[in-house]
Amino acid sequence: MRYESITEAIGNTPLVRIDPAVHGLRHIDLYAKLELLNPFGSVKDRAAWNMARPGLAAAAEHGSQVVELSSGNTAKALAVIAGMHGLPFKSVTNRMRIPEIKDLLLLLGADIEELPGQSECLDPTNTEDPLTLFHRELSEPGSSYLHTDQYFNPRNTEAHATGTGPEIVKDLDGRAPDWFVACVGTAGSSTGVARVLREHDPRVRVVGLVAAKSDFIPGIRTLDEVHEVGLFDPATYDTVESVGSDEAIEGMLTLARRCGILAGPTGGAAYYGTVRHLRSIDEELTYSQSVESDGETGDAGPRRSAVFIVCDRIESYLSYTKRRRPDLFRQPPRRNDPADLTDAEVAAAPAVDVPDARKWIERDRPLVVDLRSPFAYAALHIEGAINIVDQLFDELVRGGLPFSTRQPVLLVCPVGEQSARYAALLTRMGHPEVRSLSGGVIAWRDAGAPLVRD
């Protein structure tokens, strides 16, 4: 197969059947759409090329810089595309959480600008968020940048409506699957594919997968975060379910070890969430067919089908996996991990609202620990707070209590979710006076309490 340009190799990725002996579903054929085999390594290759292509000639003529608010695969694909056309590329983000991706972007010649932000993706409703302000500046008419704007650009969705979706139907011999399951990031792939599949067969059921609350899976938003994404439409999905990082890694291991598919944690989450969702349905099919055959079980009856997307490759997430599952790398098992907490423990975490927190700070001088990124902390923080970014704090607590039990501690994060988990963990570890700030920095700001900046 011969191409004139590497961009011609984007798309037409394989649809691979997963051996039923692996997933255990008796009446449902499960297929993986291998987007990891796109030339730059991910499903984002399609959107990046489709968004950038119309403006590349003009950008080259004016010497414009390609810019995207991305810390992952979209940035990687755009860095390659920009370089191919002699253009510089800048990734703007509030946080680079995967070191391998950051190193690769630098290797590709990208400029990385980290701005303070309150969530892992753009929140267009927060007019004071620096990331939002920068996005508005980029989107103004006459901007000197080529801004691909993945969170709002309809060409993101179009890339999958004209490519990924029709490819799935074609590879299923002209049929749409009974279920389509997709992890939700910018919502471009799930929205575009779902639109095509439902046009082909309105009975297709679409399952959206998000990261569990206060958890982190690269490329997937939490349920709170997806509502901040311009392309997200709840009507696209018949149901939205959450997957945890441990479940994503389990799915990733199954795909790699049992299927030979070197998927990253997003693909692992997609596989795990798909099988979990379909298991009870498959049991119902077994029961109904048993009744119809007068008590004789078997595989009689029409088989159903389901498709999930494998977004990218495993190699970029070794540090992510090692941090959560050191045992896989023959290292000592993790200790004092907030992921091990039960929902009941987190719900019972000691917390304090803004008025009481202000009184407590004035009276007892607790150590205020801000868990946000250094950029967010530098923009605005509670006076006297120290900044220990959550990843570093996570490492500290693995070694034991990081503070004296005689030292009262107030933990602060953007909205109070992450700090609640750490408050619950430190309480379990024996700290008698640790609290989480309810509602986080946003609640503090909304209450009119003073904030300072570095």
Side-chain angles (χ1 to χ4, degrees), residues 136-199:
R136 290 186 175 181
E137 179 185 335
L138 290 172
S139 303
E140 289 178 356
S143 170
S144 60
Y145 299 103
L146 172 53
H147 178 209
T148 43
D149 199 13
Q150 65 170 338
Y151 290 106
F152 296 93
N153 192 337
R155 292 186 66 87
N156 182 346
T157 302
E158 179 189 276
H160 303 284
T162 58
T164 320
E167 289 170 21
I168 291 172
V169 173
K170 177 177 177 290
D171 289 339
L172 290 176
D173 300 322
R175 296 176 292 108
D178 296 280
W179 293 272
F180 170 60
V181 185
C183 294
V184 184
T186 65
S189 59
S190 55
T191 303
V193 172
R195 181 187 304 164
V196 170
L197 298 184
R198 283 190 171 134
E199 287 173 355

Side-chain angles (χ1 to χ4, degrees), residues 6 55 66 74 77 122 186 200 209 234 248 288 307 361 387 395 453:
I6 189 65
V66 182
T74 305
L122 175 72
T186 65
H200 197 81
L209 297 175
S288 63
V307 172
I361 291 171
N387 183 214
E395 295 298 327
R453 67 177 73 235

Side-chain angles (χ1 to χ4, degrees), residues 37 46 49 98 121 186 258 263 267 288 294 298 348 410:
L37 294 181
R46 296 180 188 260
W49 178 233
I98 304 297
C121 64
T186 65
R258 300 290 309 280
S288 63
D294 195 25
L410 175 63

Side-chain angles (χ1 to χ4, degrees), residues 109-126:
D111 181 19
I112 299 173
E113 182 169 351
E114 296 189 63
L115 296 175
Q118 292 161 348
S119 73
E120 287 301 318
C121 64
L122 175 72
D123 180 359
T125 66
N126 187 351

